[in-house]
Amino acid sequence: DAGVIQSPRHEVTEMGQEVTLRCKPISGHNSLFWYRQTMMRGLELLIYFNNNVPIDDSGMPEDRFSAKMPNASFSTLKIQPSEPRDSAVYFCASSLEGDGYTFGSGTRLTVV
Amino acid sequence: GEDVEQSLFLSVREGDSSVINCTYTDSSSTYLYWYKQEPGAGLQLLTYIFSNMDMKQDQRLTVLLNKKDKHLSLRIADTQTGDSAIYFCAEIGYGGSQGNLIFGKGTKLSVKP
C-alpha cells in the first residue's frame, strides 16, 4: 500500500486565492482526519469523517475552510479566500476503527 | 476538556537513555499512543499501549503507564542520532461514532554525538 497520499506537497499562493488540498486515504480505512500543524499551536484537528460522513468539524477555524469526502478514496480541504495566517502544514490521516492513524506526508501551505 | 501535556524539549547524548513524559486527562482512554515525526515528514506511529497494561516493551522502546496519575512515558534505550525527532503523545478522545486522537504539542528530542 502506498500509504496516505496528499497533494500538493508544497503550495505557495497569494492572499485571497482559493487553495484546495487533496488526500487519498489508505484503501479500506473508514475514517479520515484533517490536521493543521504550526509552531505556535502544535497539531490541531480540523475535521474528521467516518464512512465519508463529517462527524466533528468543530476544529475548522472559520467559514473560509470547508472539507468534503465525496467517496471513500478521496477528500479535499478548501480555503477560500486564503490568508497569511493560514500558512501551516496540513496533514491528512486515515484509520480503520480501533487502529492507530496513518498520516500522509503533509502539504506545506504558504500564503503571501 | 481533554488535554495532553508534554515538555517541549529534551537533549541527550548518543548512547544514553531518553525518557519522554506525558500527562493526559481522560481517564476513560482505552489506548495511548506515541508518534514520531522526523523533519519534513508526517507523524509515524511508534508504539501504543492498552490502558489495562502498565508496561510495554518493543526492542529499544519501553512504554510505562501510570493510570492512577494519568502519566505515560516513553523510554528509548541506547539513543541514536537517528532518533532525533519530535515525539507526540496521544490519547483517544470520544466524539461521534469513533474517537479521535488528542495530541500533545510534541517533545523535540535532540541527540548529540
Side-chain angles (χ1 to χ4, degrees):
Chain A
D1 197 324
V4 175
I5 300 172
Q6 290 186 246
S7 64
R9 284 299 310 270
H10 303 274
E11 176 83 33
V12 181
T13 192
E14 289 186 345
M15 184 173 66
Q17 297 296 306
E18 177 180 295
V19 174
T20 299
L21 311 182
R22 296 173 177 79
C23 176
K24 183 181 187 314
I26 288 177
S27 177
H29 281 189
N30 63 347
S31 292
L32 183 140
F33 306 81
W34 281 102
Y35 284 88
R36 176 171 69 176
Q37 186 178 35
T38 60
M39 288 289 291
M40 291 295 292
R41 301 164 79 112
L43 205 60
E44 301 173 278
L45 176 67
L46 300 177
I47 185 170
Y48 80 93
F49 296 84
N50 189 244
N51 295 320
N52 311 341
V53 176
I55 301 300
D56 182 359
D57 65 354
S58 59
M60 296 284 261
E62 299 168 36
D63 291 345
R64 298 184 296 107
F65 285 69
S66 62
K68 293 182 181 178
M69 192 164 186
N71 57 61
S73 58
F74 185 66
S75 177
T76 59
L77 177 68
K78 187 178 290 187
I79 309 172
Q80 165 64 16
S82 57
E83 295 182 4
R85 61 195 166 118
D86 302 330
S87 297
V89 181
Y90 290 81
F91 288 104
C92 175
S94 70
S95 74
L96 184 59
E97 193 156 351
D99 291 346
Y101 295 8
T102 301
F103 280 77
S105 298
T107 295
R108 182 173 293 275
L109 173 65
T110 304
V111 183
V112 298
Chain B
E2 299 143 337
D3 198 13
V4 176
E5 300 276 346
Q6 299 177 241
S7 53
L8 294 181
F9 302 98
L10 177 64
S11 181
V12 301
R13 292 212 171 273
E14 194 173 17
D16 288 350
S17 291
S18 307
V19 179
I20 303 171
N21 294 301
C22 167
T23 57
Y24 60 97
T25 55
D26 189 348
S27 58
S28 63
S29 290
T30 51
Y31 287 96
L32 294 135
Y33 299 82
W34 284 104
Y35 280 80
K36 176 183 181 182
Q37 184 181 29
E38 295 181 353
L43 279 71
Q44 177 188 9
L45 180 62
L46 204 56
T47 187
Y48 65 93
I49 188 166
F50 190 50
S51 60
N52 69 351
M53 299 167 66
D54 51 21
M55 185 180 97
K56 180 179 179 182
Q57 187 145 4
D58 183 2
Q59 299 182 339
R60 292 190 296 120
L61 305 178
T62 304
V63 180
L64 294 177
L65 175 60
N66 181 328
K67 207 173 176 188
K68 174 175 167 287
D69 294 338
K70 298 178 193 170
H71 183 265
L72 183 72
S73 69
L74 173 70
R75 179 177 181 269
I76 305 173
D78 186 26
T79 314
Q80 302 298 306
T81 54
D83 296 323
S84 294
I86 302 175
Y87 291 82
F88 291 87
C89 170
E91 63 167 346
I92 286 278
Y94 283 95
S97 61
Q98 177 182 341
N100 69 81
L101 290 182
I102 308 296
F103 286 89
K105 285 191 165 28
T107 300
K108 185 173 183 178
L109 174 64
S110 298
V111 183
K112 298 177 181 176

